[in-house]
Amino acid sequence: PSNTSTTEVLRRPLESAKDTGIEVTVRSALHREGLRFMKHVKGLPGSPDIVFPKARVAVFVDGKFWHGYDFEAWKHKVPTYWQEKISRNIERDERNFLALREAEWRVLRVWEHEVKRELGLVVNRIKQAVREGLEEHHQGQREKSIHR
């Protein structure tokens, strides 16, 4: 990662911990927009950070280091242990994404640098996914009531 040594990263609490600062930033912005959600839903693959159950939207708020954003560009800068660990994280993230998609969930990944640079765009992207998910949900409800 740019401007961050491995030692500095290791001194910080693990980003995989719940309620990271960046997650709180996104959740607070969504809450201000009137959106209500669940967090860290254990019953879903990967325990998404933010979940809108009725809309079937799962949001992961991920940091560059632990989830390997643009990993090929910087992996040579970290020891083999971290290369292997981050590669496993990337593979796990992909499995969780595919499992959620197979279960017909919309899955959004929000990167830490996106939140820092363009929080409004991130929030709008999530709101759009929720809107579309709710429209599908309501359409499905209407179809069920017609066929009863």
Side-chain angles (χ1 to χ4, degrees):
S2 61
N3 301 333
T4 306
S5 73
T6 303
T7 306
E8 288 171 334
V9 170
L10 295 177
R11 284 188 187 132
R12 289 188 227 141
L14 289 178
E15 261 184 50
S16 61
K18 307 291 183 250
D19 298 324
T20 63
I22 208 73
E23 285 177 37
V24 172
T25 297
V26 173
R27 290 198 316 254
S28 295
L30 293 170
H31 203 268
R32 280 192 303 275
E33 292 288 323
L35 294 171
R36 300 301 177 256
F37 44 82
M38 297 174 71
K39 56 183 193 170
H40 310 293
V41 176
K42 301 239 182 286
L44 292 174
S47 299
D49 300 309
I50 302 168
V51 176
F52 299 89
K54 202 175 267 189
R56 295 185 70 82
V57 172
V59 181
F60 292 91
V61 182
D62 291 339
K64 176 180 180 175
F65 184 82
W66 298 108
H67 295 274
Y69 181 84
D70 200 20
F71 190 46
E72 290 304 313
W74 56 268
K75 81 178 197 178
H76 67 281
K77 296 179 181 179
V78 297
T80 303
Y81 170 82
W82 287 108
Q83 290 178 24
E84 292 170 357
K85 169 81 174 123
I86 294 165
S87 292
R88 286 192 307 271
N89 289 350
I90 291 168
E91 290 167 8
R92 185 198 60 228
D93 290 345
E94 182 64 21
R95 281 193 311 275
N96 290 332
F97 172 84
L98 292 172
L100 285 162
R101 291 298 300 137
E102 286 174 15
E104 299 181 0
W105 281 79
R106 283 179 163 75
V107 184
L108 299 177
R109 174 180 251 178
V110 174
W111 290 101
E112 181 177 16
H113 64 271
E114 294 175 320
V115 173
K116 289 178 177 177
R117 287 188 202 139
E118 47 202 29
L119 179 60
L121 292 176
V122 167
V123 168
N124 286 338
R125 202 168 106 215
I126 295 169
K127 284 171 57 176
Q128 180 65 32
V130 170
R131 192 175 312 115
E132 291 170 1
L134 289 174
E135 287 170 8
E136 279 185 19
H137 172 77
H138 293 307
Q139 180 64 31
Q141 294 297 321
R142 282 192 292 274
E143 288 173 8
K144 283 181 187 174
S145 64
I146 290 171
H147 295 293
R148 287 186 182 171

